[in-house]
Amino acid sequence: MAGFATGNAGVIIVTVALQGGAYGLAFGGSLRHLTAHIPAARRGAVMSLFYLLAYGALITPTLLVGIGATVWSDTVIFPVFSVLAALLCVSAVVVEHVLGRRGGQPAVTPASTAEAPRMSEVD
Protein backbone atom coordinates (compact mmCIF):
# COMPACT_ATOMS: atom_id res chain seq x y z
CA MET A 1 0.00 0.00 0.00
CA ALA A 2 2.86 2.35 0.78
CA GLY A 3 4.19 1.91 -2.74
CA PHE A 4 0.96 3.00 -4.33
CA ALA A 5 0.51 5.84 -1.84
CA THR A 6 3.88 7.33 -2.84
CA GLY A 7 3.25 6.98 -6.57
CA ASN A 8 6.93 6.11 -7.03
CA ALA A 9 7.27 3.46 -9.76
CA GLY A 10 10.40 1.95 -8.19
CA VAL A 11 8.71 1.50 -4.82
CA ILE A 12 5.67 -0.02 -6.53
CA ILE A 13 7.80 -2.53 -8.46
CA VAL A 14 9.74 -3.58 -5.35
CA THR A 15 6.52 -3.92 -3.33
CA VAL A 16 4.81 -6.04 -5.98
CA ALA A 17 7.92 -8.21 -6.38
CA LEU A 18 8.14 -8.84 -2.64
CA GLN A 19 4.44 -9.68 -2.38
CA GLY A 20 4.60 -11.98 -5.38
CA GLY A 21 7.67 -13.72 -4.02
CA ALA A 22 6.02 -14.23 -0.63
CA TYR A 23 2.89 -15.66 -2.26
CA GLY A 24 5.02 -17.94 -4.44
CA LEU A 25 6.92 -19.27 -1.43
CA ALA A 26 3.69 -19.89 0.50
CA PHE A 27 2.03 -21.58 -2.48
CA GLY A 28 5.04 -23.77 -3.23
CA GLY A 29 5.46 -24.74 0.41
CA SER A 30 1.81 -25.69 0.63
CA LEU A 31 2.10 -27.87 -2.47
CA ARG A 32 5.17 -29.63 -1.08
CA HIS A 33 3.37 -30.25 2.22
CA LEU A 34 0.29 -31.62 0.48
CA THR A 35 2.31 -33.85 -1.84
CA ALA A 36 4.20 -35.36 1.08
CA HIS A 37 1.07 -36.13 3.11
CA ILE A 38 -1.59 -37.22 0.62
CA PRO A 39 -1.85 -40.79 -0.65
CA ALA A 40 -1.23 -41.05 -4.37
CA ALA A 41 -4.79 -42.26 -5.04
CA ARG A 42 -6.27 -39.01 -3.68
CA ARG A 43 -3.57 -36.57 -4.81
CA GLY A 44 -5.30 -35.42 -8.00
CA ALA A 45 -8.57 -34.56 -6.28
CA VAL A 46 -6.86 -32.74 -3.41
CA MET A 47 -4.55 -30.77 -5.72
CA SER A 48 -7.50 -29.72 -7.89
CA LEU A 49 -9.37 -28.44 -4.86
CA PHE A 50 -6.22 -26.73 -3.56
CA TYR A 51 -5.75 -24.83 -6.84
CA LEU A 52 -9.43 -23.86 -6.86
CA LEU A 53 -9.23 -22.51 -3.31
CA ALA A 54 -5.89 -20.76 -3.89
CA TYR A 55 -7.07 -18.90 -6.98
CA GLY A 56 -10.38 -18.14 -5.29
CA ALA A 57 -8.40 -16.63 -2.43
CA LEU A 58 -6.64 -14.39 -4.96
CA ILE A 59 -9.65 -13.23 -6.93
CA THR A 60 -12.19 -12.70 -4.12
CA PRO A 61 -10.40 -9.83 -2.35
CA THR A 62 -9.59 -8.25 -5.71
CA LEU A 63 -13.22 -8.26 -6.74
CA LEU A 64 -14.41 -7.00 -3.37
CA VAL A 65 -11.92 -4.12 -3.35
CA GLY A 66 -12.84 -3.29 -6.94
CA ILE A 67 -16.53 -3.17 -6.09
CA GLY A 68 -15.79 -1.17 -2.95
CA ALA A 69 -13.69 1.30 -4.95
CA THR A 70 -16.69 2.05 -7.16
CA VAL A 71 -18.74 2.95 -4.08
CA TRP A 72 -16.09 4.64 -1.93
CA SER A 73 -12.86 6.39 -2.88
CA ASP A 74 -9.53 4.60 -3.16
CA THR A 75 -8.21 6.34 -0.08
CA VAL A 76 -11.08 4.89 1.95
CA ILE A 77 -11.23 1.32 0.63
CA PHE A 78 -7.54 0.39 0.59
CA PRO A 79 -6.80 1.14 4.26
CA VAL A 80 -9.96 -0.77 5.25
CA PHE A 81 -8.93 -3.70 3.07
CA SER A 82 -5.38 -3.65 4.49
CA VAL A 83 -6.63 -3.72 8.07
CA LEU A 84 -9.11 -6.54 7.33
CA ALA A 85 -6.42 -8.59 5.58
CA ALA A 86 -4.02 -8.08 8.50
CA LEU A 87 -6.72 -9.13 10.99
CA LEU A 88 -7.46 -12.27 8.98
CA CYS A 89 -3.76 -13.16 8.90
CA VAL A 90 -3.33 -12.62 12.62
CA SER A 91 -6.47 -14.63 13.39
CA ALA A 92 -5.19 -17.52 11.25
CA VAL A 93 -1.93 -17.54 13.19
CA VAL A 94 -3.81 -17.47 16.51
CA VAL A 95 -6.10 -20.34 15.47
CA GLU A 96 -3.11 -22.39 14.31
CA HIS A 97 -1.31 -21.70 17.59
CA VAL A 98 -4.34 -22.63 19.70
CA LEU A 99 -4.98 -25.83 17.74
CA GLY A 100 -1.33 -26.77 18.02
CA ARG A 101 -1.37 -26.31 21.80
CA ARG A 102 -4.55 -28.36 22.19
CA GLY A 103 -3.20 -31.17 20.08
CA GLY A 104 -5.88 -30.46 17.49
CA GLN A 105 -3.58 -31.32 14.64
CA PRO A 106 -4.74 -34.51 12.92
CA ALA A 107 -2.33 -37.41 12.77
CA VAL A 108 -0.88 -37.48 9.27
CA THR A 109 0.77 -40.42 7.58
CA PRO A 110 3.29 -39.34 4.95
CA ALA A 111 2.41 -40.56 1.46
CA SER A 112 5.71 -42.38 1.14
CA THR A 113 4.77 -44.71 4.03
CA ALA A 114 1.02 -44.85 3.42
CA GLU A 115 -0.37 -48.01 1.93
CA ALA A 116 -1.95 -47.52 -1.48
CA PRO A 117 -5.60 -48.62 -1.67
CA ARG A 118 -6.39 -51.86 -3.45
CA MET A 119 -8.44 -51.71 -6.64
CA SER A 120 -11.43 -53.22 -4.81
CA GLU A 121 -11.34 -50.31 -2.30
CA VAL A 122 -11.34 -47.54 -4.92
CA ASP A 123 -14.78 -46.33 -6.00
Side-chain angles (χ1 to χ4, degrees), residues 4-102:
F4 291 102
T6 63
N8 185 337
V11 175
I12 293 171
I13 290 170
V14 169
T15 302
V16 170
L18 289 173
Q19 289 175 344
Y23 185 79
L25 288 172
F27 190 77
S30 298
L31 286 177
R32 280 190 297 279
H33 178 77
L34 285 174
T35 302
H37 291 82
I38 298 171
R42 301 282 184 213
R43 196 167 292 148
V46 172
M47 291 295 182
S48 297
L49 182 60
F50 178 77
Y51 274 94
L52 181 67
L53 291 173
Y55 284 111
L58 279 175
I59 195 168
T60 302
T62 304
L63 289 174
L64 292 175
V65 168
I67 292 167
T70 62
V71 177
W72 300 286
S73 70
D74 297 350
T75 56
V76 171
I77 195 68
F78 287 117
V80 171
F81 171 73
S82 299
V83 168
L84 289 175
L87 288 173
L88 285 172
C89 291
V90 169
S91 65
V93 170
V94 169
V95 167
E96 177 67 23
H97 182 70
V98 169
L99 286 178
R101 283 187 145 194
R102 290 184 183 169

